[in-house]
Amino acid sequence: MDSRRPPLTPAFRSLPEYVRHWAETTPDRRAFTFVDHPAPHSRGVHRTLTWRRLDLRMRAVAARLAAEAEPGARVAVLCPQGTDYVTAFLGALAAGLIAVPLYPPGLPGQGDRLSAVLADAHPAVVVTTGHALAEVGELCAERDVKVIAVDHVPDAAAGDAQPRALGAEDVAYLQYTSGSTRTPAGVEITHANVVANARQALAAYGADVHPVTCVGWLPLYHDMGLVLSVAAPVVRGLLSVLMDPVAFLHEPARWLRLLAAHPRALSAAPNFAYDYCASTVTEAQKADLRLDGVFALINGSEPVRAGTADRFHAAFAAQGLVPETHCPSYGLAEATVFVSAARPWQPLRRFALDRDALATGKALPARPDDPRAVLLTGCGAPAGQRVRIADPVSRESLAEGEVGEIWVQGPNVGRGYRNQERQTLRVFGAVLADVVAGPGKWLRTGDLGTVLDGQLIVTGRLKDLIVVDGRNHYPQDVEATAQDAHPAVRRDRLAAFGVPGGSGERVIVVAEHVRAVPLADIDVPALVRTVRAAVSARHGLRLSDVVLVPPGTVPRTSSGKVSRALTRERYLTGAYAAEVAG
């Protein structure tokens, strides 16, 4: 029988050492459970590893990998979501190898990225499962790489082997960036980085002192999924309950049922998932849900929308969901993942800011009911790190209420980008002009934000800014206006961006229409007029082009975010020329 309260957490240098510790001290406690949904109406088949079993599988995989590659070589993890993914990842670390968390071939829209990452990482070994072995073998047929099915490795391979002695500053894995703003690059995350960030996240969300269950459907190749569903539970000795992202998309109520089934559940999702649940979970599905035991729900979107949290909690208030469980957070792969977080059981911090002032770099208050106000949500305080807002050109530290680039310093900041010395120096080696305000090297995030009342507020991406007539406009702000203007515009599936024009930058919106309404049934000219009028009234911007495209046409990154850069590129090459524009 499980004890709900895990023992106190000691300090170790690496995740495999934590696995060994829990296997020795609490061998029969549940470590990881994967809930499979093999049929459309399946309520879930549970497959569980205890800490003893996890340790055995980790050591068996480590021994098999050590026989194929030298310490420091890279191991690409191309496993489907599940416990085999966890053992493959931890086994690579235990062997002294560098894991590269990825995904099997076939993920829609990600084939080119997968090939590019494999070419950059140049792994010595690729690990997958027997189920995906054929397609992974085909992908790697022309590569000089050994392919191993992790579930084909026998337990006996572990023998008496113990995890290799690992240096805290050795690279544990490469976290490839999502590619939302540039070509994917591999961030070198050390063993010390991931342990530090796991501890920071546990402390930020109160899981260092409260017994929680980590419940997640975020993909394990994504930075937040990996840290929240693998690293943090391993460090604290918590149960982690996993499900496949596709199972969530097919029936979002499955995620909510898992939250209800596990006391003090801690989970994370982006904006679209909360909106998706609020709009699609039926009253019949809600009938047997009790969500009053949910401990914290992390929202790591950019930006976090208060309206999304309000809709989600209104939809499930009758099921006992407490609004204060919503925790807006901010992070990025270069900092392992977590940087700042709102603490559980605190009211959502809302900020209404003057749009015109924000365009000039000042965060000045406005009335929330002012139609030209920008409504933003605070992302809490730094999670055991130092954060500064800096002028991206002068590198001067800015005062509270001034908008600039978010800079980060802490033990979780990665070592740099693999084989990209110049980019590493630029991004990871920044120095403030006024070093007294923050000595040492800083991580330049490329994100814009400000600090108000002790809250970090993320306002947008530096590279995504739309500049018209010397004024800054945030694309996500324009997108929010466009999607609210007409019900046929699909939420969070549109991109606003600027392109060169004869007399300055032209502003474009490419938007998908909702799945429920065929294009033939939409009055496109009326939709275009409505969107243009709304953007003009709220932002003082004239949209040069509004393009309505079918669902699934606006490209997204591997983490599910809309890729404005790729949408812009496709627009400029004429890829949307056949779509309906106005």
Side-chain angles (χ1 to χ4, degrees):
M1 181 180 291
D2 286 347
S3 165
R4 286 300 306 164
R5 183 175 293 278
L8 294 176
T9 306
F12 293 113
R13 292 183 300 180
S14 70
L15 297 183
E17 290 179 73
Y18 279 101
V19 173
R20 289 293 292 149
H21 168 75
W22 300 122
E24 292 169 354
T25 57
T26 59
D28 297 321
R29 283 173 55 85
R30 291 178 296 164
F32 287 88
T33 293
F34 177 63
V35 184
D36 193 13
H37 297 85
H41 301 293
S42 170
R43 297 283 289 190
V45 178
H46 291 60
R47 298 184 174 90
T48 295
L49 293 177
T50 63
W51 287 105
R52 188 204 315 268
R53 180 73 182 153
L54 175 63
D55 174 64
L56 177 64
R57 292 304 302 156
M58 178 186 75
R59 290 187 293 112
V61 172
R64 180 71 177 86
L65 294 176
E68 296 292 344
E70 295 295 322
R74 288 156 303 285
V75 176
V77 182
L78 273 64
C79 297
Q81 188 99 335
T83 54
D84 287 328
Y85 200 112
V86 178
T87 56
F89 175 77
L90 293 172
L93 269 57
L97 303 172
I98 299 173
V100 186
L102 290 168
Y103 40 86
L107 188 66
Q110 299 299 323
D112 290 343
R113 178 182 182 273
L114 180 59
S115 296
V117 169
L118 288 174
D120 183 78
H122 194 63
V125 182
V126 170
V127 289
T128 186
T129 63
H131 179 73
L133 186 59
E135 57 183 353
V136 172
E138 183 178 347
L139 174 70
C140 299
E142 298 181 2
R143 301 178 187 274
D144 182 20
V145 63
K146 179 74 173 180
V147 179
I148 295 173
V150 66
D151 52 336
H152 291 179
V153 177
D155 292 350
D160 297 324
Q162 299 299 319
R164 180 182 293 273
L166 302 171
E169 300 306 320
D170 291 342
V171 177
Y173 61 98
L174 298 178
Q175 183 66 65
Y176 274 82
T177 60
S178 63
S180 59
T181 57
R182 61 174 180 271
T183 302
V187 183
E188 295 181 327
I189 303 295
T190 68
H191 293 284
N193 291 154
V194 66
V195 169
N197 204 224
R199 286 183 166 275
Q200 290 165 337
L202 290 165
Y205 300 115
D208 56 340
V209 294
H210 297 289
V212 304
T213 300
C214 297
V215 176
W217 57 264
L218 293 178
L220 298 182
Y221 58 79
H222 184 243
D223 47 14
M224 185 178 287
L226 187 63
V227 172
L228 193 66
S229 289
V230 178
V234 164
V235 167
R236 184 72 175 97
L238 302 169
L239 170 62
S240 179
V241 179
L242 305 167
M243 66 178 285
D244 194 286
V246 175
F248 165 76
L249 292 173
H250 283 172
E251 189 181 319
R254 291 166 170 167
W255 175 46
L256 302 179
R257 285 197 287 265
L258 288 182
L259 293 175
H262 295 88
R264 303 182 73 84
L266 170 68
S267 193
N271 267 318
F272 92 84
Y274 294 109
D275 277 324
Y276 186 43
C277 287
S279 63
T280 61
V281 175
T282 66
E283 292 302 317
Q285 291 171 327
K286 293 179 185 180
D288 59 349
L289 279 178
R290 289 305 308 167
L291 299 173
D292 49 330
V294 175
F295 183 70
L297 293 172
I298 301 165
N299 188 333
S301 301
E302 298 170 18
V304 177
R305 297 195 184 102
T308 293
D310 293 341
R311 283 188 293 273
F312 181 77
H313 287 95
F316 300 102
Q319 284 65 51
L321 188 66
V322 179
E324 287 76 19
T325 57
H326 212 80
C327 298
S329 305
Y330 165 73
L332 68 164
E334 286 81 352
T336 305
V337 60
F338 291 101
V339 171
S340 72
R343 277 39 176 179
W345 304 97
Q346 299 292 324
L348 206 66
R349 296 296 303 275
R350 304 162 190 263
F351 296 87
L353 302 178
D354 182 272
R355 190 183 309 278
D356 293 335
L358 202 60
T360 64
K362 302 290 184 182
L364 299 180
R367 295 194 320 274
D369 58 350
D370 186 336
R372 291 182 59 80
V374 178
L375 304 178
L376 297 173
T377 306
C379 289
Q385 300 162 64
R386 304 178 74 193
V387 171
R388 294 285 184 273
I389 306 299
D391 184 299
V393 178
S394 70
R395 298 181 292 110
E396 296 283 348
S397 180
L398 300 177
E400 180 167 312
E402 294 186 287
V403 178
E405 186 179 13
I406 301 170
W407 288 21
V408 178
Q409 189 182 77
N412 55 299
V413 173
R415 211 166 71 167
Y417 298 116
R418 165 178 156 78
N419 290 340
Q420 294 191 31
E421 292 184 14
R422 180 178 297 180
Q423 183 74 348
T424 294
L425 182 62
R426 190 190 73 80
V427 174
F428 291 83
V431 178
L432 286 169
D434 46 338
V435 292
V436 175
K441 294 181 178 180
W442 293 78
L443 167 67
R444 298 188 61 164
T445 67
D447 291 314
L448 292 168
T450 189
V451 174
L452 287 175
D453 297 335
Q455 294 278 313
L456 176 65
I457 303 170
V458 182
T459 59
R461 290 286 305 173
L462 185 60
K463 290 186 177 181
D464 284 344
L465 268 183
I466 300 171
V467 184
V468 178
D469 297 331
R471 291 173 55 81
N472 296 334
H473 299 271
Y474 294 96
Q476 72 273 13
D477 200 12
V478 176
E479 291 158 5
T481 299
Q483 71 184 13
D484 289 341
H486 197 285
V489 176
R490 192 178 179 199
R491 300 193 69 83
D492 297 319
R493 293 295 187 272
L494 68 167
F497 49 87
V499 298
S503 58
E505 193 160 53
R506 298 166 53 228
V507 184
I508 313 297
V509 168
V510 175
E512 297 181 7
H513 64 78
V514 294
R515 291 187 181 276
V517 183
L519 182 60
D521 294 345
I522 300 173
D523 185 342
V524 177
L527 181 150
V528 170
R529 287 195 300 272
T530 301
V531 169
R532 277 186 164 144
V535 171
S536 176
R538 179 162 288 184
H539 306 277
L541 275 178
R542 179 187 178 277
L543 294 180
S544 294
D545 206 355
V546 178
V547 184
L548 196 65
V549 299
T553 308
V554 174
R556 289 185 287 161
T557 69
S558 60
S559 60
K561 299 175 184 176
V562 165
S563 175
R564 297 186 186 100
L566 187 52
T567 307
R568 180 180 185 272
E569 179 183 320
R570 290 184 179 179
Y571 177 86
L572 290 172
T573 58
Y576 300 120
E579 309 299 344
V580 182

